[in-house]
Amino acid sequence: MAALRSRYVAKLSMDNTVFLVCDIQERFRSLIHKFDHMVLTSAMMVKAANVMKIPCVVTEQYPKALGHTCSELNVANTETVKVFEKSLFSMLTPEVSDHLKALNRTSAVLFGVESHVCVQQTALDLLEQGWDVHVVVDGVSSQRDFDRSVALERLKGAGAILTTGESVLFGLMKDSKYENFKAVSSLVKEYGSSLNATTPFSGL
């Protein structure tokens, strides 16, 4: 019997992953489809990144007009976070690109808005550079659900991995013996309870 060939499946590891938080700003709160669900997921991810010591890159699109990152994410008080202002739609400004090079990682977990503009352009730029890109489906949205759905299909076709926030966190921990398992699992439970007060996403 011929030996089985291994297949690359882009598993995540804490020492090789960066979280990218795209433009989750106050001005979008009343405009984005299912914003409440998206921001709950994103807040859970940023909190978990801090527990797991995973670097978190946050961008803000023209904050003078669109405001700063939503307070739920608490980025100003999270030590793993670095915030960059931008006008480019993609997150990969020269400053962010330099920062990512210094981090020397190859897996990106991406969430934010809008799915079909800044998130999509960021993901495509990263894929073109050889990154493994994991798009958090319950952490991305657009003003129109149709744009979100088409963007996710586009990114899947381009080679991005579509996933969920909870799946990412458990994939990173890998084992219930992980030293901070209780802290991360508590964040997941809190997130699940908070979803009861929202109208969550129902699919792609």
Side-chain angles (χ1 to χ4, degrees):
M1 180 177 177
L4 292 174
R5 287 187 295 175
S6 62
R7 180 182 177 188
Y8 182 68
V9 293
K11 288 183 178 180
L12 291 167
S13 64
M14 292 186 201
D15 61 356
N16 198 35
T17 297
V18 59
F19 285 7
L20 300 182
V21 188
C22 187
D23 306 349
I24 304 177
Q25 293 161 254
E26 285 295 340
R27 180 68 179 89
F28 297 124
R29 189 179 291 274
S30 62
L31 301 174
I32 297 295
H33 174 71
K34 309 280 191 189
F35 184 91
D36 287 350
H37 188 173
M38 184 274 298
V39 84
L40 277 174
T41 304
S42 300
M44 174 184 69
M45 299 300 287
V46 172
K47 291 173 185 175
N50 196 45
V51 172
M52 295 188 284
K53 305 303 180 188
I54 292 173
C56 213
V57 174
V58 176
T59 56
E60 297 176 342
Q61 181 78 19
Y62 192 48
K64 184 177 180 180
L66 299 176
H68 291 289
T69 302
C70 293
S71 58
E72 292 93 331
L73 275 65
N74 196 28
V75 297
N77 298 309
T78 305
E79 61 183 63
T80 57
V81 165
K82 190 167 180 62
V83 181
F84 296 85
E85 293 185 13
K86 69 182 180 71
S87 61
L88 196 69
F89 295 132
S90 171
M91 291 180 73
L92 297 194
T93 65
E95 295 80 11
V96 171
S97 294
D98 287 346
H99 182 63
L100 291 176
K101 286 177 185 176
L103 291 174
N104 193 32
R105 306 205 168 201
T106 61
S107 294
V109 173
L110 175 61
F111 46 98
V113 298
E114 286 188 71
S115 311
H116 64 299
V117 185
C118 298
V119 171
Q120 179 173 283
Q121 291 188 33
T122 301
L124 294 176
D125 284 349
L126 290 165
L127 289 165
E128 197 170 46
Q129 294 177 17
W131 285 76
D132 292 330
V133 179
H134 300 252
V135 177
V136 181
V137 173
D138 49 344
V140 297
S141 196
S142 298
Q143 293 184 58
R144 292 169 293 277
D145 188 35
F146 178 73
D147 284 324
R148 174 180 177 272
S149 298
V150 172
L152 290 172
E153 290 293 340
R154 168 79 169 95
L155 293 176
K156 181 180 179 181
I161 297 109
L162 302 188
T163 186
T164 66
E166 186 172 340
S167 179
V168 166
L169 299 183
F170 279 90
L172 285 163
M173 291 190 292
K174 293 183 170 57
D175 195 318
S176 61
K177 293 180 180 179
Y178 165 58
E179 60 182 343
N180 292 316
F181 173 77
K182 286 185 178 180
V184 177
S185 61
S186 290
L187 291 173
V188 173
K189 289 176 184 176
E190 179 186 330
Y191 164 75
S193 297
S194 297
L195 281 183
N196 295 328
T198 72
T199 305
F201 293 114
S202 57
L204 299 185

